[in-house]
Amino acid sequence: LLASIDRALELTRNSMTLSAWHEEAVKRIAKLMPREHQIMELVIAGHKNKTIAAELGTSQRTVEHHRAAIMKKTGSKSLSDLVRLSIAAV
């Protein structure tokens, strides 16, 4: 019985941690402007800056600036951090 109670408490703690991470991820992504969100989706999909620029009708340099702003606003240090954040926000 005690083992079952311990397991239930552990599952509750894990659930609360996941919920907090989800809320944090949603808050970070909500900081993005619509264009940044659009570029983030394309970056996560694996598109290169040059391809994104051509698709959106803008310069590659503009995409690079947006991409840097995305990383700063979301607190992501790498592309894999950004991908994890976007998955957590879903």
Side-chain angles (χ1 to χ4, degrees):
L1 180 61
L2 289 176
S4 294
I5 292 171
D6 285 340
R7 176 137 170 79
L9 289 172
E10 183 65 29
L11 289 172
T12 300
R13 277 187 227 110
N14 289 342
S15 176
M16 290 168 54
T17 301
L18 287 174
S19 178
W21 172 233
H22 169 74
E23 289 176 23
E24 179 65 23
V26 169
K27 284 180 188 176
R28 288 184 188 184
I29 290 177
K31 294 177 184 177
L32 301 178
M33 302 303 290
R35 186 62 151 198
E36 292 169 338
H37 195 274
Q38 184 181 26
I39 290 173
M40 181 190 77
E41 293 295 327
L42 293 168
V43 167
I44 289 172
H47 297 279
K48 301 203 180 303
N49 291 345
K50 188 175 185 178
T51 307
I52 295 169
E55 186 174 323
L56 299 179
T58 189
S59 74
Q60 184 175 341
R61 189 74 180 134
T62 299
V63 172
E64 291 168 0
H65 282 286
H66 281 302
R67 191 169 174 164
I70 291 164
M71 300 302 276
K72 184 176 181 177
K73 287 180 179 182
T74 62
S76 301
K77 305 236 184 288
S78 66
L79 179 58
S80 59
D81 284 347
L82 186 62
V83 170
R84 277 192 290 276
L85 185 74
S86 69
I87 289 170
V90 176

